[in-house]
Amino acid sequence: MDATERLVRIRQLLAGLPGPYGNGQLWTVIRSTDTSDPFPDAFAFLTSVGVMDAGGPNGTPPQAPQDAAQLSVRMSEASQHVALDLLIGMTSRTLAYGARGRYPEERARDVLRALVKLLGHGTRWWTNTDLVSWEPVTRHVMDAFVIGKGGGVMVAVLATDED
């Protein structure tokens, strides 16, 4: 399967994922890529969905990274298994209270296993969280961000929540 067909199938698979999520939102970006560095595209995605901040009152520094380099420092490379577990967790339960997320857990598992299969062997994964602690990548109280890059496609899933 070429990257264009893979891109179309992944978009169809994840079409129902974005939307309200607990007291926050769930977003996805799916795009073709031929670069080895996913962070410029990931940072552009975060900026485009309006989750960044410019700092607080009285010169308080911003919580969110201010460029792709700062984002890359907050992200850790993860195994496929860890990334899959994180994606299932953040789509089936909210971050703040562990309430029902976008998908029931069984549906999340099916959808996200299909995503991993479509991205293919050798996909690299990065995340800012283990769903207990995280390096903030947005202005929100809680966020979880997972990036996968493989087969000429980059997929990023962002969940934000407030307590």
Side-chain angles (χ1 to χ4, degrees), residues 11-21 25-30 87 90-92 101-103 107-108 111-112 115 155-158:
R11 284 185 174 147
Q12 291 170 341
L13 179 68
L14 299 184
L17 192 58
Y21 177 82
Q25 280 289 119
L26 193 64
W27 291 272
T28 61
V29 64
I30 305 155
L87 287 165
M90 63 194 263
T91 58
S92 64
R102 294 291 295 156
Y103 292 142
R107 171 82 171 127
V111 166
L112 296 163
L115 169 65
V155 174
V157 179
L158 170 69

Side-chain angles (χ1 to χ4, degrees), residues 49-100:
V49 298
V51 295
M52 308 307 275
D53 62 352
N58 303 320
T60 306
Q63 172 175 294
Q66 298 300 294
D67 57 35
Q70 287 181 10
L71 175 62
S72 71
V73 170
R74 295 175 188 216
M75 304 292 287
S76 299
E77 196 153 0
S79 69
Q80 176 180 300
H81 175 76
V82 167
L84 180 60
D85 283 351
L86 289 170
L87 287 165
I88 292 166
M90 63 194 263
T91 58
S92 64
R93 293 179 304 281
T94 63
L95 300 176
Y97 299 108
R100 186 180 182 283

